[in-house]
Structure formats: structure tokens, C-alpha cells
């Protein structure tokens, strides 16, 4: 079961994204953007260069100029077949030539440029040697909201990814947990994500008993026991867009304290969701969820931000955290995932992906938030 294939993005979609990015760069006082291989390039052009290529590949976006892609000659045919290629001018270079001189000719020699976060230092430093009067700023710092507001087609893909993750949870809650290593359940969960259409599994956290108090626990050899709380946090990419959801289950009947802590986190997650509305600040979502947990006396055990953006990557801006005053805008998508982690004992996390609507928020995950018992 993989569901209906999404409507493909068009050359016009990618052209509009590149034009918007160049315009936002100008508004931020930048001479342009330099985009290296990675999620930004895929989102802007539809082109995915070979992974970890050491040859310079760089998308140059500058206000008032057509987009240009500096690309190794041996990879130019693939670049030319990308959906966004009709909006690009390809500038290919061959081994033995200087790609930095080629790139420098496309840039303002005294300009300040936004650079995608994952650009190689090797390339950026070589470019700076070629143009010593240029300066650079990380793209997430300069244009943190570049990919944050999703259009209708992107929202459709995110909703489908969320539904696939939900289907995986409904299946995993039926399997036996007791007596099995965390790693086995994690492998089951990864298989379910793929079965329901994920092409990439980014993480399948299965954290049982005291391991549940470690937010980024790697599923290991610990055998899950009757009486354990088990935090399940899992996600990946389906049709190029992310899923990420968390539910906490219990092997057998929980104690009164375990049920009380779970109910507290569920109440905090609902408060965070209810704070989602256009014009509210990102930090308002964090404050709403955190207040519930702090008022119950567990504030010191809520140790991370309430949420993160999601799109072509499973973690991206905006972030639901104190100090982030960025206003929420319809089309933004992010997690709402409060927690309580009791060291050496257990943890609880409940997480949904939420999108901002014209009058509030809409969850993209809808599995049961009550405490689920498993065998």
C-alpha cells in the first residue's frame, strides 16, 4: 500500500521558487544565493546531484538575473533533464579547468551572499580566495523561512507522509513488544514505513523503560520488558516530503504515575496545538505546551524545544522555541512534541505534525493520543 501518486511538480513550480528565492535575497540585502547540492537545491530545481560529489556544483541565484547552475560537464546531461532545468542556464566545466573562476564571473565581486548550510568549506574557501572582497552568511540565518510556507501540492505530500506514518503506528501497536530487543521492533517499524510508501527512513527510535528518558536514544539490544513505557519516534521521506510522529505505549497495564505523566504530556500537546494560529509567534506554541508541564511540577524534565519545521527534510525552520518571534503563517508545517523525561525511569513524548491554516491549525497525524497498551 503506497497510496495515490502525488501530482508532479512542474518546471513553472521550480521557476517560481527560484524567482521567489532571488527576490527574498534582495529584500535581505544580499547580492544573491549560492546553493550547493542538498535539500535546498532539490527544492529549488528538482535536480539531485550525485551524493557527496567532490566536484563543484553550485546554483547561483541573483536578483534580476536568470538562475545559473555551475555543474561538472560529466553531470550536465543529468542536470539538463531535471524538471526545473528549463529555467536554468547551465555553466559546465571539465576536469582540469578552474570552476571557481567560472563561478566568480557570475558574481558581484564585492557582494554578500547567502550560502546553503551544507556547502563544503573546500568550495566556499576556494571561492573566497578567488573573490576576496565577497562575504557570506548561512542560508538558514539569512532566509530562515525560505522553505517554511508550503503550497497546496506540498501540503498534500506532507499529509500523505503523515497518513503513512499513522498507518505504520496502527500496525506496530499490534506486534509483540515484550521479550524482544528494541532493535527488532525498530526494524519492524522501518519496514512498515517503507511498506506504506516511504522511500527513506530517517529514524525509528524505540526507547524502552529507562532508555525512554533519552530523547535521541538509538534502539539497541535491551529487551523490552512487561511494565515498560516505550517511546516510539519515527519518520522519513515519502515522495520527497517528511513524516515525523511520536507515540508512547506501555507493555501491559501502567502504574498510576505512568498514566498521570502520560496524561500530562497529552494535555501539554493539546495546549501547544491550540496555540497554533496565524500571527502567533513560534515561541507561543512552546510557551503553551511548556506551561502545562511546568505548572504540574515537571518543568525540569521537559528538556528540548516543543517543535521543528518539516518539509523536504524532517528537521528545518521554523522552530517552536522560546525566543523565536517569527509569526506563524498559513502553510507553515512543524511538529508539536512536548515530553517528560524522568532519568533512570521512563519518558513520554507525543508528537504530531501540524500545519497552520487561515484560522488555526490542522494536525497531519491522527492516531490515538491516549496511552496505548501493547503485548
Amino acid at each position: 500500500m503506497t497510496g495515490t501518486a502525488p501530482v508532479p511538480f512542474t518546471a513553472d513550480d521550480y521557476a517560481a521558487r527560484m524567482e521567489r528565492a532571488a527576490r527574498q535575497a534582495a529584500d535581505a540585502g544580499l547580492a544573491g544565493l549560492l546553493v550547493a547540492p542538498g535539500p535546498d537545491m532539490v527544492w529549488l530545481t528538482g535536480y539531485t546531484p550525485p551524493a557527496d560529489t567532490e566536484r563543484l556544483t553550485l546554483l547561483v541565484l541573483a536578483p534580476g538575473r536568470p538562475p545559473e547552475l555551475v555543474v561538472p560537464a560529466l553531470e550536465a546531461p543529468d542536470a539538463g533533464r531535471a524538471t526545473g532545468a528549463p529555467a536554468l542556464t547551465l555553466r559546465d566545466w571539465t576536469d582540469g579547468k578552474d570552476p571557481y573562476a567560472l563561478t566568480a564571473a557570475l558574481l558581484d565581486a564585492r557582494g554578500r551572499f547567502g550560502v546553503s548550510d551544507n556547502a563544503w568549506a573546500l568550495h566556499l574557501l576556494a571561492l573566497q580566495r578567488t573573490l576576496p572582497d565577497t562575504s557570506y552568511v548561512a542560508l538558514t540565518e539569512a532566509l530562515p523561512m525560505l522553505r517554511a510556507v508550503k503550497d497546496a501540492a506540498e501540503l498534500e505530500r506532507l499529509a500523505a507522509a503523515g497518513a503513512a506514518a499513522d498507518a505504520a503506528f496502527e500496525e506496530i501497536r499490534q506486534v509483540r513488544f515484550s521479550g524482544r530487543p528494541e532493535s527488532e521492533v525498530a526494524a519492524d517499524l522501518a519496514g512498515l514505513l517503507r511498506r506504506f510508501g516511504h522511500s527513506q527512513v530517517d529514524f525509528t527510535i524505540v526507547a524502552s523503560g529507562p532508555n525512554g528518558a533519552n530523547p535521541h536514544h538509538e534502539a539497541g539490544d535491551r529487551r523490552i520488558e512487561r511494565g515498560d513505557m516505550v517511546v516510539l519516534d519515527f519518520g522519513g521521506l515519502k515522495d520527497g516530503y517528511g513524516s515525523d510522529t511520536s507515540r508512547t505505549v506501555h507493555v501491559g497495564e501502567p502504574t498510576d504515575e505512568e498514566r498521570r505523566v502520560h496524561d500530562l504530556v497529552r494535555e501539554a500537546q493539546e495546549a501547544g496545538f491550540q496555540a497554533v494560529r496565524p500571527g502567533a509567534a513560534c515561541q507561543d506554541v512552546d510557551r503553551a505546551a511548556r506551561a502545562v508541564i511546568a505548572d504540574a511540577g515537571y518543568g525540569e524534565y521537559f528538556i528540548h524545544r516543543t517543535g521543528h519545521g518539516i518539509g523536504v527534510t524532517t528537521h528545518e525552520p521554523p522552530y517552536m522555541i522560546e525566543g523565536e518571534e517569527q509569526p506563524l503563517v498559513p502553510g507553515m508545517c512543524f511538529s508539536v512534541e512536548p515530553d517528560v523525561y524522568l532519568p533512570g525511569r521512563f519518558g513520554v513524548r507525543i508528537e504530531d505534525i501540524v500545519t497552520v491554516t487561515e484560522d488555526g491549525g490542522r494536525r497531519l497525524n491522527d492516531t490515538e493520543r491516549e496511552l496505548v497498551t501493547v503485548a
Side-chain angles (χ1 to χ4, degrees):
M1 170 184 168
T2 58
T4 305
V7 175
F9 296 123
T10 67
D12 287 344
D13 292 327
Y14 290 114
R17 291 176 186 178
M18 287 187 276
E19 191 279 331
R20 184 175 67 176
R23 186 174 64 250
Q24 288 186 16
D27 292 344
L30 299 174
L33 303 179
L34 307 179
V35 182
D40 291 315
M41 182 174 287
V42 174
W43 183 78
L44 286 162
T45 69
Y47 174 49
T48 304
D52 298 326
T53 179
E54 77 282 5
R55 294 180 171 92
L56 179 69
T57 302
L58 202 66
L59 174 65
V60 178
L61 300 176
R65 294 186 55 171
E68 299 181 278
L69 181 66
V70 177
V71 61
L74 75 168
E75 291 160 12
D78 287 338
R81 285 190 286 270
T83 305
L88 293 168
T89 299
L90 297 187
R91 305 289 187 184
D92 63 343
W93 60 277
T94 56
D95 288 350
K97 302 295 184 182
D98 184 355
Y100 307 109
L102 171 64
T103 305
L106 309 177
L107 306 181
D108 178 347
R110 297 180 179 277
R112 180 169 175 78
F113 295 90
V115 182
S116 52
D117 297 2
N118 57 332
W120 285 23
L122 170 73
H123 297 317
L124 188 58
L125 292 171
L127 192 58
Q128 195 165 35
R129 284 195 299 271
T130 306
L131 293 174
D133 292 328
T134 52
S135 60
Y136 305 92
V137 61
L139 194 53
T140 290
E141 180 182 342
L143 299 178
M145 296 299 113
L146 178 62
R147 303 195 320 250
V149 179
K150 276 62 178 180
D151 62 25
E154 291 181 291
L155 289 173
E156 180 182 330
R157 293 186 185 215
L158 283 161
D166 283 357
F169 175 73
E170 294 295 355
E171 292 279 336
I172 202 69
R173 63 181 288 186
Q174 305 301 325
V175 309
R176 182 173 58 84
F177 280 64
S178 180
R180 300 177 65 202
E182 294 171 339
S183 56
E184 269 190 20
V185 178
D188 288 349
L189 197 45
L192 287 167
L193 286 171
R194 293 189 180 95
R195 182 175 131 202
F196 289 112
H198 281 64
S199 59
Q200 176 177 314
V201 176
D202 287 348
F203 47 89
T204 52
I205 294 173
V206 177
S208 63
N211 290 340
N214 177 358
H216 288 164
H217 172 69
E218 292 282 343
D221 295 334
R222 183 185 186 276
R223 289 191 177 272
I224 301 169
E225 302 173 357
R226 190 163 186 82
D228 279 347
M229 280 281 210
V230 185
V231 178
L232 305 174
D233 181 5
F234 52 97
L237 298 182
K238 180 181 186 297
D239 296 317
Y241 280 75
S243 69
D244 185 2
T245 188
S246 300
R247 293 293 186 264
T248 303
V249 301
H250 196 277
V251 186
E253 285 302 310
T255 66
D256 289 345
E257 182 191 21
E258 288 169 332
R259 190 176 295 280
R260 184 171 65 252
V261 171
H262 190 278
D263 286 347
L264 174 64
V265 174
R266 181 168 54 84
E267 182 184 347
Q269 207 267 349
E270 178 66 20
F273 171 69
Q274 293 297 333
V276 175
R277 62 185 182 280
C282 290
Q283 67 180 3
D284 293 342
V285 178
D286 183 84
R287 287 174 175 177
R290 199 168 298 276
V292 173
I293 291 173
D295 289 350
Y298 287 86
E300 66 183 293
Y301 304 113
F302 182 1
I303 60 176
H304 60 60
R305 64 197 175 203
T306 294
H308 57 82
I310 191 169
V312 293
T313 57
T314 50
H315 288 75
E316 63 185 44
Y319 298 103
M320 307 301 111
I321 189 170
E322 180 66 30
E324 178 53 78
E325 297 180 350
Q326 168 68 39
L328 300 181
V329 176
M332 283 183 176
C333 293
F334 47 84
S335 65
V336 178
E337 50 177 308
D339 59 76
V340 168
Y341 300 115
L342 300 177
R345 300 181 63 206
F346 65 89
V348 176
R349 180 158 70 251
I350 301 172
E351 173 185 13
D352 295 324
I353 299 302
V354 173
T355 184
V356 184
T357 65
E358 294 296 332
D359 58 1
R362 175 170 67 96
R363 284 185 165 104
L364 301 187
N365 296 103
D366 202 29
T367 53
E368 190 172 347
R369 295 174 197 89
E370 299 284 347
L371 183 56
V372 168
T373 58
V374 295

